[in-house]
Amino acid sequence: MTNVTKIFSTLSEASERLNAIIEHSFDGIFITDAKANVIRINHAYEVITGLKKEEVLGKNMTDLVRNKLISESGSLQVIKTKQPVTLQQCFRSGKEALVTSSPIFDADGNFIMIVTNVRDLTEIYNLKAVVQEKTAAMDRLAMELEHLQTTSEDNQEIIAKDETTLAAMLLANRVASMDTTVILLGETGVGKEVMARYIFQHSHRAKNSFIKVNCGAIPENLIESELFGYEGGAFTGANKNGKIGLFELANKGTLFLDEIGELPKDMQVKLLRVLQEQEILRVGGTKPVKIDVRIIAATNRNLEEMVSDGTFREDLYYRLTVFPISIPPLRMRKKDIVPLALSFLEKLNQKYQLKKYFTDLSMQLLHEYDWPGNIRELKNIVERAIIISPSDAIKPENLHIHSASKPIVIIKDNEFSDNTKNSLPPPEFPINLKNTLEKIEYTYMVQAYKFFGNVRDAAKNLGLTPSTFVRKRKQYQQKNTAPERM
């Protein structure tokens, strides 16, 4: 046998060095005898647990558990099983630790003591929380980018020349700066999303997120997790780290709930709670998450009828219709048709480097058509006509639409012919939207005063205070925006 080099020269030195090793261990060390009497702890154990040596040395583990100094004892479990035991504990210091208790036997196999290793997990949990927070932030950014990519192509400017459109714009301008819930009503394709974006862009939330949700496009079994998110392992196939929902993604910004009439009845209850409490509960979660989101909803359905037949909750209906704005169909806003068509044509000409233009007869046909598909149909017709027309001139046969039964008469004045080749809106298109809206507002004030006969009722009907009504009336009269007197 080779001689083993002696590490320690004396027993005293060995004891001293062993004590140093135990005391300088980063992990807590806790030793009991075979009867669970505490015989040794180190400094790290005191730091991790918040317990002092005088509180535990010489004490039995049964007493320490009974006196609630320790919530659970691995040593007592080892005495019963003679097997190593691992458990998690939270101590009065506020720290969490992984505790492993191991039985120690002498050379003859006699059970003589238990050594417990206590590893502080607090820092690990803190790091895990930081990682989860950064992961959630990255997920939020990725989701936001995805929404921006899917909606950027649909962004349109608002073209408002018709009085009915300008009336809706007046309401949008009034509510944009507030956090009031808005619902946009109108047929498919009238531009509800464009109006929602207009309200968002003119609000104090314009620098934050605008998230669109099509309530009718999300499968019923996924809509709750999409809107509210979920905790890790909440259901089969769920991301192990969980996922934030669209409400959290839109925090500090605006959430546009399109096709709100398609929302399932059970989700209507949960949406109502979110609107009332301004907090959401993730699927599989137990702790509510506070949110600050402005809601703009939209629907092409008659919600009043849905309330009557029981398919839409009455309380949610009243919660959503705080400020309704009706967007008229294109057939009721004839003055918008040509400017819209020319705007689409100009953008497509720029995109494809073309010089297409509408002939006079094509312009008249566009103007007289009823447009059951509204602005969306108009945009599609213009794009298709550009592709089909063999020359720069877009003729009626290139439009592939059929107007009303009345004959089409070519307009001989300058309303269309002077501007068709330039693909620009007619010159009478409102140049100063602010002045135009003021004229409309003044007209409403005149009509309300004539109907009610007094300032108080007229102001209340228009959502104004009497003092604001009088001030604006005087201001508009001075500007001579309308010749009528009150």
Side-chain angles (χ1 to χ4, degrees), residues 103-152:
I104 305 297
F105 302 90
D106 63 16
D108 297 324
N110 298 314
F111 175 48
I112 56 172
M113 69 175 72
I114 304 161
V115 175
T116 298
N117 181 275
V118 181
R119 174 153 295 178
D120 187 359
L121 296 179
T122 307
E123 189 63 27
I124 294 175
Y125 287 142
N126 289 339
L127 289 173
K128 181 181 178 182
V130 171
V131 171
Q132 287 178 337
E133 185 178 343
K134 290 186 179 296
T135 301
M138 291 176 65
D139 288 344
R140 186 179 293 109
L141 179 60
M143 288 176 67
E144 191 164 349
L145 286 172
E146 181 182 346
H147 275 78
L148 286 173
Q149 290 167 353
T150 55
T151 58
S152 59

Side-chain angles (χ1 to χ4, degrees), residues 42-55:
N42 68 348
H43 178 67
Y45 182 84
E46 293 181 280
V47 172
I48 295 170
T49 65
L51 297 170
K52 300 300 181 183
K53 290 183 179 180
E54 54 268 24
E55 293 181 272

Side-chain angles (χ1 to χ4, degrees), residues 470-485:
V470 172
R471 176 176 56 77
K472 286 196 170 189
R473 176 178 63 176
K474 183 177 180 181
Q475 175 186 341
Y476 293 154
Q477 284 174 337
Q478 289 174 348
K479 285 186 176 182
N480 196 28
T481 54
E484 247 179 302
R485 297 179 58 193

